[in-house]
C-alpha cells in the first residue's frame, strides 16, 4: 500500500514564528488532506489539496503531485496552533479510506 | 464540524461486555468509515461502507462488527475485546467515489478493562 511520511515528528517554536511541515507519499493520489487534531482528539479539516496551492488565513498548503510531496505552512504561529498535524492520502478508486502519516507534534510556546 | 456525530464520547467496558458505538452524519454523504487511533500506532482504517455496502475490511478481528443500516448511520459492535483494543475510534463520511474529502466525528475514547 501507499506510504506516507511526515517531517519533522516534533517541532517547538516561539509564538509568532513561521513553520513548514512536510508530507511525502509513495504513489499517485486522488485525495490529500491536512488535519489538525485538537487535544480532545477531534480531527479538524485544514485543506483538501490533491494538487496545487491553497490558502486559508495564516495557513497555506502546496501539493506537488508529480514529485509526491505536500507542504503545510503556518505563519505567525499562535499558542492555539499547538497540536498534532496529520497528512492523509487516498490512492485508490471508489470510496477508499485514507492512509495517515504519523503526524507532526507542534508546540507553540508563549 | 458538527456534521458527523459520535456517541458515546467515552466508554469503559470489561472484556466480557458487549457494547456498540454509533456514528451519524448530516452531510448527505453516502460513504462512511471507521478508523482506530491507538497510542502505539498511527491512525488506521478499519472499515469502509459505500452506498450501505461494506467495500473494505482492513484485516480487523471479528470481535469488531460494523453495521450500516442506511447512508446516515454507522455502528461498530464490540464484543469480548482485549485491553489492547483501548483506543480512540473515529468515524468519517464522504461522498462515494474516488478522492472526495472526508469529514470526521469527534471520536469515542474506549477503555477496555
Amino acid at each position: 500500500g501507499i506510504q506516507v511520511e511526515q517531517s519533522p515528528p516534533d517541532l517547538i517554536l516561539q509564538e509568532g514564528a513561521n513553520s513548514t511541515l512536510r508530507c511525502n507519499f509513495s504513489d499517485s493520489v486522488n485525495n490529500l488532506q491536512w488535519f489538525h487534531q485538537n487535544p480532545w482528539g477531534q480531527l479538524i479539516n485544514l485543506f483538501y489539496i490533491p494538487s496545487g496551492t491553497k490558502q486559508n488565513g495564516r495557513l497555506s498548503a502546496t501539493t506537488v503531485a508529480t514529485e509526491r510531496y505536500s507542504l503545510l505552512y503556518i505563519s505567525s504561529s499562535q499558542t492555539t496552533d499547538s497540536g498534532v498535524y496529520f497528512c492523509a492520502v487516498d490512492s485508490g478508486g471508489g470510496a477508499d479510506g485514507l492512509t495517515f502519516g504519523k503526524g507532526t507534534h507542534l508546540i507553540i510556546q508563549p | 464540524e458538527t456534521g458527523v456525530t459520535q456517541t458515546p464520547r467515552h466508554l469503559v467496558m470489561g472484556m466480557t461486555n458487549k457494547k456498540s458505538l454509533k456514528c451519524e452524519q448530516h452531510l448527505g454523504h453516502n460513504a462512511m468509515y471507521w478508523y482506530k487511533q491507538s497510542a502505539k500506532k498511527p491512525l488506521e482504517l478499519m472499515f469502509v461502507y459505500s452506498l450501505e455496502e461494506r467495500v473494505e475490511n482492513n484485516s480487523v478481528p471479528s470481535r469488531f462488527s460494523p453495521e450500516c443500516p442506511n447512508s446516515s448511520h454507522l455502528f461498530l459492535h464490540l464484543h469480548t475485546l482485549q485491553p489492547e483494543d483501548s483506543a480512540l475510534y473515529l468515524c468519517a463520511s464522504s461522498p462515494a467515489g474516488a478522492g472526495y474529502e472526508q469529514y470526521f466525528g469527534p471520536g469515542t475514547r474506549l477503555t477496555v478493562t
Side-chain angles (χ1 to χ4, degrees), chain A residues 36-49:
Chain A
H36 178 207
Q37 188 167 41
N38 68 19
W40 299 273
Q42 171 87 56
L43 284 174
I44 299 165
N45 289 38
L46 297 178
F47 293 102
Y48 167 76
I49 188 165

Side-chain angles (χ1 to χ4, degrees), chain B residues 14-80:
Chain B
M15 290 190 286
T16 59
N17 291 159
K18 291 183 180 181
K19 296 287 184 182
S20 295
L21 310 184
K22 179 182 176 182
C23 175
E24 184 172 359
Q25 60 92 6
H26 309 274
L27 299 171
H29 293 161
N30 45 25
M32 298 187 77
Y33 313 79
W34 279 116
Y35 291 85
K36 175 182 178 182
Q37 185 178 31
S38 56
K40 298 181 179 180
K41 288 186 174 182
L43 268 152
E44 53 184 346
L45 177 69
M46 300 177 73
F47 299 103
V48 179
Y49 275 83
S50 178
L51 302 173
E52 301 162 35
E53 290 191 8
R54 190 192 306 181
V55 296
E56 186 160 342
N57 172 353
N58 202 23
S59 302
V60 178
S62 59
R63 58 185 182 269
F64 296 91
S65 176
E67 179 190 3
C68 187
N70 56 61
S71 60
S72 298
H73 294 87
L74 183 66
F75 295 89
L76 188 63
H77 304 299
L78 316 171
H79 63 96
T80 58

Side-chain angles (χ1 to χ4, degrees), chain A residues 47-64:
Chain A
F47 293 102
Y48 167 76
I49 188 165
S51 64
T53 297
K54 291 185 178 179
Q55 180 157 8
N56 184 4
R58 295 182 296 104
L59 275 61
S60 63
T62 295
T63 298
V64 184

Side-chain angles (χ1 to χ4, degrees), chain A residues 31 33 37 45 48 94 96 98, chain B residues 35 37 48 97 99-102:
Chain A
N31 175 8
Q33 292 184 243
Q37 188 167 41
N45 289 38
Y48 167 76
D96 287 343
L98 294 171
Chain B
Y35 291 85
Q37 185 178 31
V48 179
Y100 286 103
E101 185 173 6
Q102 293 187 22

